[in-house]
Amino acid sequence: MKTSKLPSIKKADFKKIRNDFPLIVNTLVRGKKLIYLNNAATTQKPQVVIDAINNYYEKENSNANRGADYLSEQLTIKCEQTRQKIKLYLNARFTEEIVFTRGTTEAINLVAYSWGFYNLKKGDEIIISEMEHHSNIVPWHIISRLTGAKIRKLAIENDGTIKLDNLKKLLNKNTKLVTIVHVSNVLGTVNNIREICDLAHEQGAYVLTDGAQSSGHMKIDLQELGSDFFTISGHKVYGPTGIGALYIKKEMFDQIHPFHGGGHMIKKVTIEDSNYKDVPDMLEAGTMPLAEIVGLSSALDYVTDIDMENITKWEMELGAYAYDVIRKVRGIKIYGPSLDKKTAIFSFTHDEIHPHDIATVLDYEGIAIRAGHHCTQPLMNRFGIQATARVSLSFYNTKEEIDRFGVALEKAVSFFKK
Ligand code: PLP
């Protein structure tokens, strides 16, 4: 990503900030200091988030929206404050546009069932890019089978980017949804959501943006992006697992139907029938993951305090450093666009060594990377490969760690080439 206009960072701060992450600074793997380069899978948690969750169970545990007692009231307020924080974090227009979900997978399924199932029919078309995570493909296959709507593939270029002309060719009056990841979890590609929304909206289609890999690494401004649906995953923004959020543009509310049925989401229930509250309550049946909401609240405070622009700038500096280290290793091919069009995620293969073997040797050195298809089999097919090895960085990583990773990668290559 281009970061030239961003404020200058105090590097010393990031050295200090690293100490906020107990798992990062204290973990030894087979006697070696852990180097965690698998941040696209999940991020580690700062002490304040761990403390917030402990504190919740020690002092705050109750059930939100369920009583007139002090604890319940306080917790309900805290949950609503968290919704407000997410609204600010994403620069949404209205707090009620934010729905709590278990994460991005659940958020996309929610859109598929609560919007797609009710609003799509035979002859309608859903455009899905070739770089989507399975969580943004499989729910649409299910909905396609249920409604008869057709899936159309938006092919990607050799450098792992989307050509807007290809989207223009696919869009037509039958297109009802364009569903595209903001940042690819394999290539790091940052897609041009603003322009994608403009093109889709011109044809009367809506846009879902999977923000799982963007929302922890760059500033999100939904009013600027223009998406009709946008997802975030708490565990990729330094918060707990089991919590995330779905943004639904207010103009979509009258097309949205219940997802789960149960407590809290109703206005009135008789044995014969029930009717429902408005969004977001309508979509939050049952007891929500309350400790996780409290943890996410603390994570958003933490990240906001460091300042997302600082985070982006530092991660891109680390990314440029890592890119140089990886590309110097003999036989390595890196997938994805140039650094100015991506985040600090690097997928690579070696012309003779399987990605799983690379990851296994690195693990012996205490270095955690990911190898596999990354839940993106169509993308793997696009490049004619089964799997890649993937390094994904966070602001708590250091150049020293990347150097150690480079040495270990060289060692892995010479080990297998013997
Ligand atoms: N979309 C992308 C691009 C992802 O990288 C992931 C997880 O890796 C998901 C969706 C699934 O997110 P969650 O774990 O919140 O369900």
Side-chain angles (χ1 to χ4, degrees), residues 151-194:
I151 309 280
R152 301 199 65 195
K153 176 178 85 177
L154 175 56
I156 64 163
E157 302 303 299
N158 288 338
D159 70 349
T161 58
I162 287 172
K163 224 187 200 167
L164 291 174
D165 275 350
N166 289 341
L167 176 61
K168 276 185 207 160
K169 281 181 205 147
L170 284 178
L171 280 163
N172 66 69
K173 63 177 181 5
N174 296 321
T175 313
K176 292 292 174 301
L177 182 73
V178 177
T179 187
I180 291 190
V181 74
H182 195 184
V183 169
S184 159
N185 62 313
V186 177
L187 308 167
T189 312
V190 182
N191 286 315
N192 190 339
I193 300 301
R194 171 75 259 173

Side-chain angles (χ1 to χ4, degrees), residues 179-234:
T179 187
I180 291 190
V181 74
H182 195 184
V183 169
S184 159
N185 62 313
V186 177
L187 308 167
T189 312
V190 182
N191 286 315
N192 190 339
I193 300 301
R194 171 75 259 173
E195 290 200 43
I196 289 169
C197 284
D198 286 347
L199 291 173
H201 290 160
E202 261 171 41
Q203 290 289 338
Y206 300 111
V207 176
L208 186 157
T209 307
D210 169 349
Q213 295 293 347
S214 60
S215 44
H217 303 279
M218 58 202 275
K219 210 170 173 62
I220 306 295
D221 183 344
L222 286 178
Q223 294 185 54
E224 166 58 27
L225 291 180
S227 311
D228 302 286
F229 304 103
F230 188 93
T231 71
I232 68 168
S233 304

Side-chain angles (χ1 to χ4, degrees), residues 40-41 103-106 133 135 181 183 185 210 212-213 233 235-236:
T104 287
T105 302
E106 189 176 74
H133 189 278
S135 62
V181 74
V183 169
N185 62 313
D210 169 349
Q213 295 293 347
S233 304
H235 72 101
K236 299 193 199 278

Side-chain angles (χ1 to χ4, degrees), residues 2-51:
K2 288 202 181 89
T3 57
S4 51
K5 286 195 206 117
L6 301 178
S8 64
I9 42 164
K10 295 180 221 117
K11 288 189 185 146
D13 287 355
F14 279 101
K15 265 197 180 145
K16 216 166 92 209
I17 283 166
R18 179 179 162 85
N19 293 323
D20 295 339
F21 293 81
L23 191 147
I24 290 290
V25 289
N26 297 331
T27 306
L28 295 180
V29 176
R30 287 181 273 279
K32 293 184 176 147
K33 266 187 143 254
L34 167 74
I35 296 181
Y36 187 76
L37 305 178
N38 194 13
N39 294 286
T42 197
T43 53
Q44 298 303 338
K45 318 306 170 200
Q47 190 63 50
V48 282
V49 170
I50 300 166
D51 289 346

Side-chain angles (χ1 to χ4, degrees), residues 51 92 143 189 251 272 336 346:
D51 289 346
I143 292 302
T189 312
E251 286 75 2
E272 292 76 24
F346 303 95

